mmCIF file of all heavy atoms in Angstrom:
data_model
loop_
_atom_site.group_PDB
_atom_site.id
_atom_site.type_symbol
_atom_site.label_atom_id
_atom_site.label_comp_id
_atom_site.label_asym_id
_atom_site.label_seq_id
_atom_site.Cartn_x
_atom_site.Cartn_y
_atom_site.Cartn_z
ATOM 1 N N GLU G 1325 36.627 7.565 0.959
ATOM 2 C CA GLU G 1325 35.742 6.897 -0.046
ATOM 3 C C GLU G 1325 34.432 7.695 -0.215
ATOM 4 O O GLU G 1325 33.993 7.831 -1.356
ATOM 5 C CB GLU G 1325 35.385 5.463 0.473
ATOM 6 C CG GLU G 1325 36.559 4.467 0.378
ATOM 7 C CD GLU G 1325 37.049 4.358 -1.072
ATOM 8 O OE1 GLU G 1325 36.251 4.117 -1.952
ATOM 9 O OE2 GLU G 1325 38.247 4.516 -1.320
ATOM 10 N N VAL G 1326 33.916 8.239 0.885
ATOM 11 C CA VAL G 1326 32.723 9.093 0.761
ATOM 12 C C VAL G 1326 33.052 10.312 -0.102
ATOM 13 O O VAL G 1326 32.267 10.750 -0.953
ATOM 14 C CB VAL G 1326 32.170 9.498 2.132
ATOM 15 C CG1 VAL G 1326 31.178 10.617 2.033
ATOM 16 C CG2 VAL G 1326 31.729 8.279 2.958
ATOM 17 N N LEU G 1327 34.255 10.914 0.103
ATOM 18 C CA LEU G 1327 34.608 12.070 -0.637
ATOM 19 C C LEU G 1327 34.746 11.739 -2.131
ATOM 20 O O LEU G 1327 34.314 12.518 -2.995
ATOM 21 C CB LEU G 1327 35.925 12.667 -0.092
ATOM 22 C CG LEU G 1327 36.418 13.970 -0.685
ATOM 23 C CD1 LEU G 1327 35.373 15.111 -0.442
ATOM 24 C CD2 LEU G 1327 37.706 14.439 -0.058
ATOM 25 N N LYS G 1328 35.402 10.643 -2.404
ATOM 26 C CA LYS G 1328 35.500 10.221 -3.766
ATOM 27 C C LYS G 1328 34.129 9.986 -4.496
ATOM 28 O O LYS G 1328 33.927 10.316 -5.577
ATOM 29 C CB LYS G 1328 36.347 8.898 -3.875
ATOM 30 C CG LYS G 1328 37.809 9.076 -3.650
ATOM 31 C CD LYS G 1328 38.477 7.724 -3.665
ATOM 32 C CE LYS G 1328 39.965 7.879 -3.273
ATOM 33 N NZ LYS G 1328 40.671 6.506 -3.265
ATOM 34 N N MET G 1329 33.232 9.357 -3.676
ATOM 35 C CA MET G 1329 31.933 9.099 -4.240
ATOM 36 C C MET G 1329 31.183 10.363 -4.486
ATOM 37 O O MET G 1329 30.507 10.513 -5.549
ATOM 38 C CB MET G 1329 31.125 8.273 -3.277
ATOM 39 C CG MET G 1329 29.701 7.853 -3.783
ATOM 40 S SD MET G 1329 28.912 6.453 -2.885
ATOM 41 C CE MET G 1329 28.884 7.181 -1.215
ATOM 42 N N ARG G 1330 31.282 11.398 -3.614
ATOM 43 C CA ARG G 1330 30.669 12.663 -3.814
ATOM 44 C C ARG G 1330 31.178 13.327 -5.086
ATOM 45 O O ARG G 1330 30.380 13.853 -5.895
ATOM 46 C CB ARG G 1330 30.917 13.558 -2.584
ATOM 47 C CG ARG G 1330 30.112 13.264 -1.379
ATOM 48 C CD ARG G 1330 30.272 14.373 -0.336
ATOM 49 N NE ARG G 1330 29.488 14.113 0.879
ATOM 50 C CZ ARG G 1330 28.264 14.353 1.045
ATOM 51 N NH1 ARG G 1330 27.567 14.922 0.036
ATOM 52 N NH2 ARG G 1330 27.616 14.191 2.231
ATOM 53 N N GLU G 1331 32.457 13.268 -5.280
ATOM 54 C CA GLU G 1331 33.079 13.915 -6.460
ATOM 55 C C GLU G 1331 32.586 13.196 -7.723
ATOM 56 O O GLU G 1331 32.304 13.911 -8.744
ATOM 57 C CB GLU G 1331 34.559 13.868 -6.376
ATOM 58 C CG GLU G 1331 35.180 14.799 -5.292
ATOM 59 C CD GLU G 1331 36.687 14.572 -5.110
ATOM 60 O OE1 GLU G 1331 37.180 13.596 -5.680
ATOM 61 O OE2 GLU G 1331 37.267 15.326 -4.307
ATOM 62 N N TYR G 1332 32.460 11.902 -7.635
ATOM 63 C CA TYR G 1332 32.026 11.208 -8.833
ATOM 64 C C TYR G 1332 30.559 11.517 -9.161
ATOM 65 O O TYR G 1332 30.202 11.721 -10.338
ATOM 66 C CB TYR G 1332 32.129 9.725 -8.579
ATOM 67 C CG TYR G 1332 31.640 8.809 -9.678
ATOM 68 C CD1 TYR G 1332 32.386 8.658 -10.881
ATOM 69 C CD2 TYR G 1332 30.432 8.193 -9.547
ATOM 70 C CE1 TYR G 1332 31.900 7.828 -11.920
ATOM 71 C CE2 TYR G 1332 29.953 7.326 -10.553
ATOM 72 C CZ TYR G 1332 30.737 7.200 -11.709
ATOM 73 O OH TYR G 1332 30.230 6.385 -12.748
ATOM 74 N N VAL G 1333 29.658 11.545 -8.115
ATOM 75 C CA VAL G 1333 28.282 11.884 -8.295
ATOM 76 C C VAL G 1333 28.166 13.286 -8.959
ATOM 77 O O VAL G 1333 27.420 13.507 -9.932
ATOM 78 C CB VAL G 1333 27.515 11.852 -6.930
ATOM 79 C CG1 VAL G 1333 26.112 12.459 -7.091
ATOM 80 C CG2 VAL G 1333 27.439 10.389 -6.467
ATOM 81 N N ARG G 1334 28.869 14.264 -8.445
ATOM 82 C CA ARG G 1334 28.787 15.658 -9.001
ATOM 83 C C ARG G 1334 29.250 15.614 -10.473
ATOM 84 O O ARG G 1334 28.564 16.246 -11.313
ATOM 85 C CB ARG G 1334 29.744 16.573 -8.174
ATOM 86 C CG ARG G 1334 29.217 16.882 -6.802
ATOM 87 C CD ARG G 1334 29.989 18.072 -6.190
ATOM 88 N NE ARG G 1334 29.903 18.067 -4.737
ATOM 89 C CZ ARG G 1334 30.926 17.737 -3.937
ATOM 90 N NH1 ARG G 1334 32.052 17.365 -4.381
ATOM 91 N NH2 ARG G 1334 30.764 17.721 -2.633
ATOM 92 N N MET G 1335 30.307 14.899 -10.795
ATOM 93 C CA MET G 1335 30.825 14.891 -12.095
ATOM 94 C C MET G 1335 29.772 14.305 -13.055
ATOM 95 O O MET G 1335 29.504 14.884 -14.100
ATOM 96 C CB MET G 1335 32.074 14.052 -12.188
ATOM 97 C CG MET G 1335 32.699 13.833 -13.514
ATOM 98 S SD MET G 1335 33.959 12.640 -13.611
ATOM 99 C CE MET G 1335 33.042 11.100 -13.474
ATOM 100 N N VAL G 1336 29.173 13.211 -12.700
ATOM 101 C CA VAL G 1336 28.167 12.524 -13.548
ATOM 102 C C VAL G 1336 26.972 13.493 -13.756
ATOM 103 O O VAL G 1336 26.472 13.710 -14.887
ATOM 104 C CB VAL G 1336 27.707 11.224 -12.967
ATOM 105 C CG1 VAL G 1336 26.582 10.611 -13.835
ATOM 106 C CG2 VAL G 1336 28.873 10.208 -12.997
ATOM 107 N N ILE G 1337 26.498 14.020 -12.680
ATOM 108 C CA ILE G 1337 25.236 14.898 -12.790
ATOM 109 C C ILE G 1337 25.577 16.166 -13.692
ATOM 110 O O ILE G 1337 24.778 16.514 -14.540
ATOM 111 C CB ILE G 1337 24.814 15.373 -11.370
ATOM 112 C CG1 ILE G 1337 24.152 14.081 -10.701
ATOM 113 C CG2 ILE G 1337 23.776 16.512 -11.479
ATOM 114 C CD1 ILE G 1337 23.680 14.454 -9.271
ATOM 115 N N LEU G 1338 26.755 16.714 -13.519
ATOM 116 C CA LEU G 1338 27.108 17.916 -14.272
ATOM 117 C C LEU G 1338 27.381 17.500 -15.745
ATOM 118 O O LEU G 1338 26.943 18.262 -16.669
ATOM 119 C CB LEU G 1338 28.391 18.523 -13.678
ATOM 120 C CG LEU G 1338 28.220 19.201 -12.338
ATOM 121 C CD1 LEU G 1338 29.554 19.726 -11.788
ATOM 122 C CD2 LEU G 1338 27.203 20.314 -12.403
ATOM 123 N N GLU G 1339 27.941 16.360 -16.013
ATOM 124 C CA GLU G 1339 28.121 15.925 -17.414
ATOM 125 C C GLU G 1339 26.809 15.695 -18.101
ATOM 126 O O GLU G 1339 26.673 15.914 -19.370
ATOM 127 C CB GLU G 1339 28.929 14.643 -17.445
ATOM 128 C CG GLU G 1339 30.431 14.862 -17.179
ATOM 129 C CD GLU G 1339 31.203 13.552 -17.319
ATOM 130 O OE1 GLU G 1339 30.535 12.453 -17.431
ATOM 131 O OE2 GLU G 1339 32.428 13.568 -17.264
ATOM 132 N N PHE G 1340 25.825 15.286 -17.373
ATOM 133 C CA PHE G 1340 24.447 15.120 -18.011
ATOM 134 C C PHE G 1340 23.766 16.470 -18.287
ATOM 135 O O PHE G 1340 22.696 16.508 -18.959
ATOM 136 C CB PHE G 1340 23.599 14.259 -17.075
ATOM 137 C CG PHE G 1340 23.548 12.793 -17.373
ATOM 138 C CD1 PHE G 1340 24.550 12.000 -16.873
ATOM 139 C CD2 PHE G 1340 22.568 12.218 -18.123
ATOM 140 C CE1 PHE G 1340 24.584 10.605 -17.156
ATOM 141 C CE2 PHE G 1340 22.574 10.862 -18.407
ATOM 142 C CZ PHE G 1340 23.629 10.053 -17.926
ATOM 143 N N GLY G 1341 24.349 17.537 -17.693
ATOM 144 C CA GLY G 1341 23.690 18.835 -17.925
ATOM 145 C C GLY G 1341 22.342 18.970 -17.191
ATOM 146 O O GLY G 1341 21.503 19.724 -17.490
ATOM 147 N N LEU G 1342 22.272 18.108 -16.091
ATOM 148 C CA LEU G 1342 20.987 18.041 -15.394
ATOM 149 C C LEU G 1342 20.544 19.303 -14.657
ATOM 150 O O LEU G 1342 19.477 19.754 -14.678
ATOM 151 C CB LEU G 1342 21.045 16.879 -14.359
ATOM 152 C CG LEU G 1342 19.736 16.572 -13.632
ATOM 153 C CD1 LEU G 1342 18.693 16.019 -14.557
ATOM 154 C CD2 LEU G 1342 19.996 15.583 -12.478
ATOM 155 N N VAL G 1343 21.617 19.996 -14.095
ATOM 156 C CA VAL G 1343 21.359 21.189 -13.296
ATOM 157 C C VAL G 1343 20.696 22.231 -14.226
ATOM 158 O O VAL G 1343 19.724 22.889 -13.853
ATOM 159 C CB VAL G 1343 22.592 21.721 -12.633
ATOM 160 C CG1 VAL G 1343 22.312 23.037 -11.884
ATOM 161 C CG2 VAL G 1343 23.089 20.695 -11.657
ATOM 162 N N GLU G 1344 21.293 22.437 -15.347
ATOM 163 C CA GLU G 1344 20.765 23.494 -16.282
ATOM 164 C C GLU G 1344 19.352 23.111 -16.835
ATOM 165 O O GLU G 1344 18.585 23.962 -16.934
ATOM 166 C CB GLU G 1344 21.713 23.596 -17.470
ATOM 167 C CG GLU G 1344 23.084 24.227 -17.136
ATOM 168 C CD GLU G 1344 24.008 23.228 -16.444
ATOM 169 O OE1 GLU G 1344 23.703 22.035 -16.453
ATOM 170 O OE2 GLU G 1344 25.065 23.654 -15.897
ATOM 171 N N LYS G 1345 19.203 21.786 -17.140
ATOM 172 C CA LYS G 1345 17.917 21.406 -17.669
ATOM 173 C C LYS G 1345 16.807 21.566 -16.583
ATOM 174 O O LYS G 1345 15.711 21.976 -16.924
ATOM 175 C CB LYS G 1345 17.989 19.929 -18.084
ATOM 176 C CG LYS G 1345 18.888 19.704 -19.296
ATOM 177 C CD LYS G 1345 19.026 18.194 -19.575
ATOM 178 C CE LYS G 1345 19.983 17.948 -20.716
ATOM 179 N NZ LYS G 1345 20.261 16.529 -20.964
ATOM 180 N N VAL G 1346 17.101 21.238 -15.336
ATOM 181 C CA VAL G 1346 16.087 21.372 -14.279
ATOM 182 C C VAL G 1346 15.739 22.856 -14.038
ATOM 183 O O VAL G 1346 14.616 23.262 -13.836
ATOM 184 C CB VAL G 1346 16.551 20.718 -12.963
ATOM 185 C CG1 VAL G 1346 15.632 21.054 -11.835
ATOM 186 C CG2 VAL G 1346 16.594 19.196 -13.149
ATOM 187 N N LYS G 1347 16.832 23.697 -14.041
ATOM 188 C CA LYS G 1347 16.631 25.123 -13.850
ATOM 189 C C LYS G 1347 15.834 25.754 -15.003
ATOM 190 O O LYS G 1347 15.005 26.681 -14.770
ATOM 191 C CB LYS G 1347 17.989 25.814 -13.700
ATOM 192 C CG LYS G 1347 18.676 25.631 -12.360
ATOM 193 C CD LYS G 1347 19.960 26.419 -12.291
ATOM 194 C CE LYS G 1347 20.616 26.241 -10.905
ATOM 195 N NZ LYS G 1347 21.873 26.953 -10.747
ATOM 196 N N GLU G 1348 16.034 25.258 -16.168
ATOM 197 C CA GLU G 1348 15.328 25.812 -17.360
ATOM 198 C C GLU G 1348 13.838 25.489 -17.231
ATOM 199 O O GLU G 1348 12.946 26.344 -17.545
ATOM 200 C CB GLU G 1348 15.855 25.140 -18.627
ATOM 201 C CG GLU G 1348 15.216 25.687 -19.913
ATOM 202 C CD GLU G 1348 15.791 24.995 -21.134
ATOM 203 O OE1 GLU G 1348 16.923 24.424 -21.057
ATOM 204 O OE2 GLU G 1348 15.168 25.065 -22.186
ATOM 205 N N SER G 1349 13.488 24.260 -16.785
ATOM 206 C CA SER G 1349 12.031 23.903 -16.631
ATOM 207 C C SER G 1349 11.481 24.482 -15.352
ATOM 208 O O SER G 1349 10.313 24.899 -15.323
ATOM 209 C CB SER G 1349 11.911 22.358 -16.610
ATOM 210 O OG SER G 1349 12.303 21.748 -17.777
ATOM 211 N N GLY G 1350 12.295 24.499 -14.302
ATOM 212 C CA GLY G 1350 11.806 24.942 -12.987
ATOM 213 C C GLY G 1350 10.898 23.945 -12.328
ATOM 214 O O GLY G 1350 10.484 22.977 -12.950
ATOM 215 N N PHE G 1351 10.586 24.097 -11.068
ATOM 216 C CA PHE G 1351 9.657 23.244 -10.338
ATOM 217 C C PHE G 1351 9.143 23.985 -9.083
ATOM 218 O O PHE G 1351 9.855 24.807 -8.524
ATOM 219 C CB PHE G 1351 10.341 21.907 -9.992
ATOM 220 C CG PHE G 1351 11.531 22.008 -9.009
ATOM 221 C CD1 PHE G 1351 11.376 21.969 -7.617
ATOM 222 C CD2 PHE G 1351 12.801 22.145 -9.535
ATOM 223 C CE1 PHE G 1351 12.432 22.050 -6.781
ATOM 224 C CE2 PHE G 1351 13.883 22.235 -8.700
ATOM 225 C CZ PHE G 1351 13.762 22.197 -7.269
ATOM 226 N N GLU G 1352 7.973 23.654 -8.633
ATOM 227 C CA GLU G 1352 7.365 24.222 -7.458
ATOM 228 C C GLU G 1352 7.585 23.327 -6.300
ATOM 229 O O GLU G 1352 7.604 23.846 -5.150
ATOM 230 C CB GLU G 1352 5.897 24.434 -7.701
ATOM 231 C CG GLU G 1352 5.488 25.364 -8.848
ATOM 232 C CD GLU G 1352 3.999 25.374 -9.053
ATOM 233 O OE1 GLU G 1352 3.245 25.855 -8.154
ATOM 234 O OE2 GLU G 1352 3.580 24.944 -10.131
ATOM 235 N N VAL G 1353 7.637 22.035 -6.431
ATOM 236 C CA VAL G 1353 7.781 21.091 -5.334
ATOM 237 C C VAL G 1353 8.574 19.930 -5.792
ATOM 238 O O VAL G 1353 8.473 19.422 -6.947
ATOM 239 C CB VAL G 1353 6.350 20.644 -4.806
ATOM 240 C CG1 VAL G 1353 5.508 19.955 -5.922
ATOM 241 C CG2 VAL G 1353 6.535 19.694 -3.626
ATOM 242 N N ALA G 1354 9.520 19.463 -4.867
ATOM 243 C CA ALA G 1354 10.308 18.327 -5.174
ATOM 244 C C ALA G 1354 9.726 17.157 -4.366
ATOM 245 O O ALA G 1354 9.304 17.262 -3.286
ATOM 246 C CB ALA G 1354 11.752 18.502 -4.722
ATOM 247 N N VAL G 1355 9.681 15.969 -5.062
ATOM 248 C CA VAL G 1355 9.079 14.752 -4.491
ATOM 249 C C VAL G 1355 10.053 13.588 -4.659
ATOM 250 O O VAL G 1355 10.620 13.377 -5.755
ATOM 251 C CB VAL G 1355 7.756 14.386 -5.141
ATOM 252 C CG1 VAL G 1355 7.226 13.056 -4.556
ATOM 253 C CG2 VAL G 1355 6.746 15.524 -4.921
ATOM 254 N N GLY G 1356 10.347 12.854 -3.537
ATOM 255 C CA GLY G 1356 11.133 11.609 -3.591
ATOM 256 C C GLY G 1356 10.192 10.453 -3.561
ATOM 257 O O GLY G 1356 9.305 10.426 -2.710
ATOM 258 N N SER G 1357 10.445 9.393 -4.394
ATOM 259 C CA SER G 1357 9.481 8.340 -4.429
ATOM 260 C C SER G 1357 10.028 6.963 -4.261
ATOM 261 O O SER G 1357 9.345 5.974 -4.290
ATOM 262 C CB SER G 1357 8.693 8.412 -5.867
ATOM 263 O OG SER G 1357 9.695 8.247 -6.903
ATOM 264 N N SER G 1358 11.373 6.863 -4.081
ATOM 265 C CA SER G 1358 11.976 5.549 -4.009
ATOM 266 C C SER G 1358 12.061 5.016 -2.587
ATOM 267 O O SER G 1358 11.899 5.743 -1.574
ATOM 268 C CB SER G 1358 13.412 5.606 -4.603
ATOM 269 O OG SER G 1358 14.216 6.447 -3.833
#
Side-chain angles (χ1 to χ4, degrees):
E1325 288 300 307
V1326 170
L1327 188 59
K1328 289 178 184 177
M1329 184 165 59
R1330 284 188 181 278
E1331 291 173 351
Y1332 177 76
V1333 168
R1334 289 193 202 107
M1335 178 190 72
V1336 173
I1337 288 178
L1338 292 174
E1339 282 183 354
F1340 266 83
L1342 185 68
V1343 176
E1344 293 77 13
K1345 293 174 183 177
V1346 169
K1347 286 183 177 179
E1348 183 179 342
S1349 298
F1351 62 91
E1352 297 174 65
V1353 58
V1355 175
S1357 58
S1358 62

